[in-house]
Amino acid sequence: MNKDLFLKAAPILNQIQAHGFEAYYIGGSVRDYLMDRPIHDIDITTSASPDEIETIFEHTIPIGKEHGTINVVYQNENYEVTTYRAEGEYKDHRRPDEVFFVRDLYKDVERRDFTMNAIAMDTDFKIRDYFGGYEDIKQKRIVTVGPAEERFTEDALRILRGLRFKSQLGFDIEARTFKAMQHRVADTAYLSIERIIVELTKLLEGKDVAHVYPLMLDLHFFDYVPFFKNYKMSQIKICEPISLELMLAVMMYQQPESHGTLKALKISNEMKKSVQIYCDIFEKLETHSDKRSLRLLVYDYGLPKLSYLLSMQETLNANQIALGHPLIMNQATIKEIYNDLVISKRSDIAINGKIILETLNRKGGPWLKEMLRDIECAIINHELQNEQSEIINWVKANV
Ligand code: ATP
Ligand code: MG
């Protein structure tokens, strides 16, 4: 098991303890450590208040101080140190109305979502496991801390998180926990879309997503999520881990009649652009997939997106999206095409709009954009050399 990250963070816990407080590793890192999975970041939980943490450490950032979280910067790494917390009433199924800082570890782990996420571990790698989380990890089961129905009623995001963990870890969801998911799924409608997107993205990329997706359909989960609720999700097939962007593109391409604007998902413009690019590629490949158009495709959209699509053929086929004949459209061919590209972007063309206007003694207009595109295509397809005099002759011959 990989202890490196814990050993690196140990001085922080030691320092907190030296000031008379408790400190433990907690949450995902402990769970992943006990499962012998790679650990990405370490969370620390402590009896010290945020103010006390700020006095103990020289370099801190109050990233979520009102919720008890202070970032401690130590040896150029950021560590989230969160004060033991208990939560007040939940009125809107998404956030407690208030949080209280407490000095008792039990109170802190009691409010956590699943037993496997509620295990605290000290610097000697000894665990404090009040809810049998380690046994549940060994039995590969997802169980809420305390009564599932109550826990999901408090915060419906836990339903999605449970599904997300199943997808990532391949665990089973314990029967009572799943029943409560069925009862409370409608509360998902109260959640902020940002929180849903974070979990959904991880869920879709999980190794077990092909088994989790049918469960989500069973639960009618998507009926409560903006955008998704406009689509017939049972017609969408997910056979393997998939990026959120690609899933959205598949939905939009397969069901263009379903309207919904991506704006409702509050995803970044970059993500929206990716979705659009995937849709464009699907459309182009549907109409023509000869070597000529493939060259343009590789030039226009680059290797990573096309290569990713090729790796997702099973899911695309299941959704009736064809990428063209495998003899033409395959990983080796697109790599070869990419390596042979004469130019890689428009500014590589040995001419520009200004020179064309001067040569032809014409006024600009939409025709110029079209002409530049024609030049670009001709160069990409080796019908025209990327040399200014050649291009000028070609332009004169083609007006
Ligand atoms: P990952 O490895 O993906 O980061 P994680 O378990 O660390 O998984 P986080 O979202 O980072 O998940 O949350 C850290 C910890 O905070 C969880 O392990 C859990 O104990 C607690 N937690 C997070 N979200 C909730 C929630 N909605 N309700 C209760 N506890 C939660
Ligand atoms: Mg985490």
PDB file of all heavy atoms in Angstrom, residues 345-360:
ATOM      1  N   LYS A 345      -2.527  24.719 -39.320  1.00  0.00           N
ATOM      2  CA  LYS A 345      -3.531  25.737 -39.004  1.00  0.00           C
ATOM      3  C   LYS A 345      -3.584  26.771 -40.120  1.00  0.00           C
ATOM      4  O   LYS A 345      -2.690  26.825 -40.967  1.00  0.00           O
ATOM      5  CB  LYS A 345      -3.215  26.404 -37.668  1.00  0.00           C
ATOM      6  CG  LYS A 345      -1.789  26.931 -37.563  1.00  0.00           C
ATOM      7  CD  LYS A 345      -1.509  27.371 -36.144  1.00  0.00           C
ATOM      8  CE  LYS A 345      -0.114  27.954 -35.996  1.00  0.00           C
ATOM      9  NZ  LYS A 345       0.992  27.109 -36.475  1.00  0.00           N
ATOM     10  N   ARG A 346      -4.629  27.571 -40.111  1.00  0.00           N
ATOM     11  CA  ARG A 346      -4.845  28.509 -41.213  1.00  0.00           C
ATOM     12  C   ARG A 346      -3.655  29.470 -41.404  1.00  0.00           C
ATOM     13  O   ARG A 346      -3.278  29.785 -42.530  1.00  0.00           O
ATOM     14  CB  ARG A 346      -6.131  29.299 -40.988  1.00  0.00           C
ATOM     15  CG  ARG A 346      -6.408  30.271 -42.118  1.00  0.00           C
ATOM     16  CD  ARG A 346      -7.846  30.665 -42.190  1.00  0.00           C
ATOM     17  NE  ARG A 346      -8.639  29.647 -42.860  1.00  0.00           N
ATOM     18  CZ  ARG A 346      -9.898  29.843 -43.255  1.00  0.00           C
ATOM     19  NH1 ARG A 346     -10.483  30.992 -43.036  1.00  0.00           N
ATOM     20  NH2 ARG A 346     -10.551  28.900 -43.864  1.00  0.00           N
ATOM     21  N   SER A 347      -3.069  29.894 -40.310  1.00  0.00           N
ATOM     22  CA  SER A 347      -1.978  30.863 -40.439  1.00  0.00           C
ATOM     23  C   SER A 347      -0.727  30.234 -41.081  1.00  0.00           C
ATOM     24  O   SER A 347       0.226  30.928 -41.425  1.00  0.00           O
ATOM     25  CB  SER A 347      -1.633  31.465 -39.080  1.00  0.00           C
ATOM     26  OG  SER A 347      -1.298  30.445 -38.179  1.00  0.00           O
ATOM     27  N   ASP A 348      -0.726  28.909 -41.244  1.00  0.00           N
ATOM     28  CA  ASP A 348       0.393  28.265 -41.947  1.00  0.00           C
ATOM     29  C   ASP A 348       0.288  28.433 -43.460  1.00  0.00           C
ATOM     30  O   ASP A 348       1.242  28.154 -44.193  1.00  0.00           O
ATOM     31  CB  ASP A 348       0.417  26.756 -41.653  1.00  0.00           C
ATOM     32  CG  ASP A 348       0.784  26.460 -40.205  1.00  0.00           C
ATOM     33  OD1 ASP A 348       1.315  27.379 -39.541  1.00  0.00           O
ATOM     34  OD2 ASP A 348       0.524  25.330 -39.749  1.00  0.00           O
ATOM     35  N   ILE A 349      -0.864  28.862 -43.954  1.00  0.00           N
ATOM     36  CA  ILE A 349      -1.035  29.035 -45.401  1.00  0.00           C
ATOM     37  C   ILE A 349      -0.131  30.177 -45.870  1.00  0.00           C
ATOM     38  O   ILE A 349      -0.047  31.219 -45.214  1.00  0.00           O
ATOM     39  CB  ILE A 349      -2.509  29.350 -45.761  1.00  0.00           C
ATOM     40  CG1 ILE A 349      -3.417  28.230 -45.250  1.00  0.00           C
ATOM     41  CG2 ILE A 349      -2.681  29.526 -47.252  1.00  0.00           C
ATOM     42  CD1 ILE A 349      -4.905  28.451 -45.551  1.00  0.00           C
ATOM     43  N   ALA A 350       0.529  29.971 -47.001  1.00  0.00           N
ATOM     44  CA  ALA A 350       1.525  30.929 -47.478  1.00  0.00           C
ATOM     45  C   ALA A 350       0.887  32.150 -48.140  1.00  0.00           C
ATOM     46  O   ALA A 350       1.489  32.781 -49.005  1.00  0.00           O
ATOM     47  CB  ALA A 350       2.480  30.220 -48.447  1.00  0.00           C
ATOM     48  N   ILE A 351      -0.331  32.433 -47.771  1.00  0.00           N
ATOM     49  CA  ILE A 351      -0.988  33.627 -48.304  1.00  0.00           C
ATOM     50  C   ILE A 351      -2.011  34.068 -47.267  1.00  0.00           C
ATOM     51  O   ILE A 351      -2.372  33.279 -46.377  1.00  0.00           O
ATOM     52  CB  ILE A 351      -1.685  33.309 -49.657  1.00  0.00           C
ATOM     53  CG1 ILE A 351      -1.845  34.585 -50.487  1.00  0.00           C
ATOM     54  CG2 ILE A 351      -3.041  32.655 -49.450  1.00  0.00           C
ATOM     55  CD1 ILE A 351      -2.190  34.301 -51.937  1.00  0.00           C
ATOM     56  N   ASN A 352      -2.450  35.313 -47.367  1.00  0.00           N
ATOM     57  CA  ASN A 352      -3.539  35.723 -46.471  1.00  0.00           C
ATOM     58  C   ASN A 352      -4.556  36.547 -47.246  1.00  0.00           C
ATOM     59  O   ASN A 352      -4.376  36.839 -48.433  1.00  0.00           O
ATOM     60  CB  ASN A 352      -2.987  36.514 -45.282  1.00  0.00           C
ATOM     61  CG  ASN A 352      -2.188  37.730 -45.722  1.00  0.00           C
ATOM     62  OD1 ASN A 352      -2.555  38.396 -46.702  1.00  0.00           O
ATOM     63  ND2 ASN A 352      -1.107  38.021 -45.029  1.00  0.00           N
ATOM     64  N   GLY A 353      -5.643  36.907 -46.580  1.00  0.00           N
ATOM     65  CA  GLY A 353      -6.739  37.614 -47.230  1.00  0.00           C
ATOM     66  C   GLY A 353      -6.305  38.898 -47.899  1.00  0.00           C
ATOM     67  O   GLY A 353      -6.721  39.210 -49.016  1.00  0.00           O
ATOM     68  N   LYS A 354      -5.412  39.613 -47.236  1.00  0.00           N
ATOM     69  CA  LYS A 354      -4.972  40.908 -47.742  1.00  0.00           C
ATOM     70  C   LYS A 354      -4.290  40.761 -49.119  1.00  0.00           C
ATOM     71  O   LYS A 354      -4.593  41.488 -50.064  1.00  0.00           O
ATOM     72  CB  LYS A 354      -3.998  41.522 -46.731  1.00  0.00           C
ATOM     73  CG  LYS A 354      -3.814  43.004 -46.886  1.00  0.00           C
ATOM     74  CD  LYS A 354      -3.065  43.597 -45.678  1.00  0.00           C
ATOM     75  CE  LYS A 354      -2.418  44.893 -46.079  1.00  0.00           C
ATOM     76  NZ  LYS A 354      -0.954  44.792 -46.213  1.00  0.00           N
ATOM     77  N   ILE A 355      -3.410  39.786 -49.197  1.00  0.00           N
ATOM     78  CA  ILE A 355      -2.694  39.574 -50.465  1.00  0.00           C
ATOM     79  C   ILE A 355      -3.666  39.169 -51.566  1.00  0.00           C
ATOM     80  O   ILE A 355      -3.561  39.623 -52.713  1.00  0.00           O
ATOM     81  CB  ILE A 355      -1.583  38.501 -50.297  1.00  0.00           C
ATOM     82  CG1 ILE A 355      -0.596  38.952 -49.213  1.00  0.00           C
ATOM     83  CG2 ILE A 355      -0.843  38.268 -51.620  1.00  0.00           C
ATOM     84  CD1 ILE A 355       0.454  37.938 -48.867  1.00  0.00           C
ATOM     85  N   ILE A 356      -4.635  38.341 -51.219  1.00  0.00           N
ATOM     86  CA  ILE A 356      -5.617  37.923 -52.226  1.00  0.00           C
ATOM     87  C   ILE A 356      -6.386  39.138 -52.743  1.00  0.00           C
ATOM     88  O   ILE A 356      -6.561  39.319 -53.958  1.00  0.00           O
ATOM     89  CB  ILE A 356      -6.602  36.882 -51.641  1.00  0.00           C
ATOM     90  CG1 ILE A 356      -5.852  35.593 -51.272  1.00  0.00           C
ATOM     91  CG2 ILE A 356      -7.711  36.559 -52.637  1.00  0.00           C
ATOM     92  CD1 ILE A 356      -6.698  34.545 -50.606  1.00  0.00           C
ATOM     93  N   LEU A 357      -6.816  40.006 -51.829  1.00  0.00           N
ATOM     94  CA  LEU A 357      -7.570  41.204 -52.228  1.00  0.00           C
ATOM     95  C   LEU A 357      -6.739  42.077 -53.165  1.00  0.00           C
ATOM     96  O   LEU A 357      -7.213  42.553 -54.193  1.00  0.00           O
ATOM     97  CB  LEU A 357      -7.992  42.014 -50.997  1.00  0.00           C
ATOM     98  CG  LEU A 357      -9.044  41.365 -50.097  1.00  0.00           C
ATOM     99  CD1 LEU A 357      -9.366  42.262 -48.904  1.00  0.00           C
ATOM    100  CD2 LEU A 357     -10.322  41.064 -50.882  1.00  0.00           C
ATOM    101  N   GLU A 358      -5.460  42.264 -52.811  1.00  0.00           N
ATOM    102  CA  GLU A 358      -4.576  43.094 -53.647  1.00  0.00           C
ATOM    103  C   GLU A 358      -4.384  42.468 -55.022  1.00  0.00           C
ATOM    104  O   GLU A 358      -4.469  43.130 -56.047  1.00  0.00           O
ATOM    105  CB  GLU A 358      -3.218  43.261 -52.959  1.00  0.00           C
ATOM    106  CG  GLU A 358      -3.263  44.294 -51.828  1.00  0.00           C
ATOM    107  CD  GLU A 358      -2.035  44.215 -50.920  1.00  0.00           C
ATOM    108  OE1 GLU A 358      -1.053  43.509 -51.308  1.00  0.00           O
ATOM    109  OE2 GLU A 358      -2.071  44.816 -49.839  1.00  0.00           O
ATOM    110  N   THR A 359      -4.152  41.154 -55.031  1.00  0.00           N
ATOM    111  CA  THR A 359      -3.904  40.461 -56.295  1.00  0.00           C
ATOM    112  C   THR A 359      -5.098  40.571 -57.232  1.00  0.00           C
ATOM    113  O   THR A 359      -4.949  40.821 -58.423  1.00  0.00           O
ATOM    114  CB  THR A 359      -3.647  38.959 -56.030  1.00  0.00           C
ATOM    115  OG1 THR A 359      -2.698  38.851 -54.997  1.00  0.00           O
ATOM    116  CG2 THR A 359      -3.137  38.267 -57.279  1.00  0.00           C
ATOM    117  N   LEU A 360      -6.295  40.375 -56.661  1.00  0.00           N
ATOM    118  CA  LEU A 360      -7.483  40.359 -57.508  1.00  0.00           C
ATOM    119  C   LEU A 360      -8.086  41.743 -57.681  1.00  0.00           C
ATOM    120  O   LEU A 360      -9.015  41.927 -58.466  1.00  0.00           O
ATOM    121  CB  LEU A 360      -8.539  39.414 -56.927  1.00  0.00           C
ATOM    122  CG  LEU A 360      -8.147  37.941 -56.846  1.00  0.00           C
ATOM    123  CD1 LEU A 360      -9.258  37.132 -56.201  1.00  0.00           C
ATOM    124  CD2 LEU A 360      -7.850  37.389 -58.241  1.00  0.00           C
TER     125      LEU A 360
END
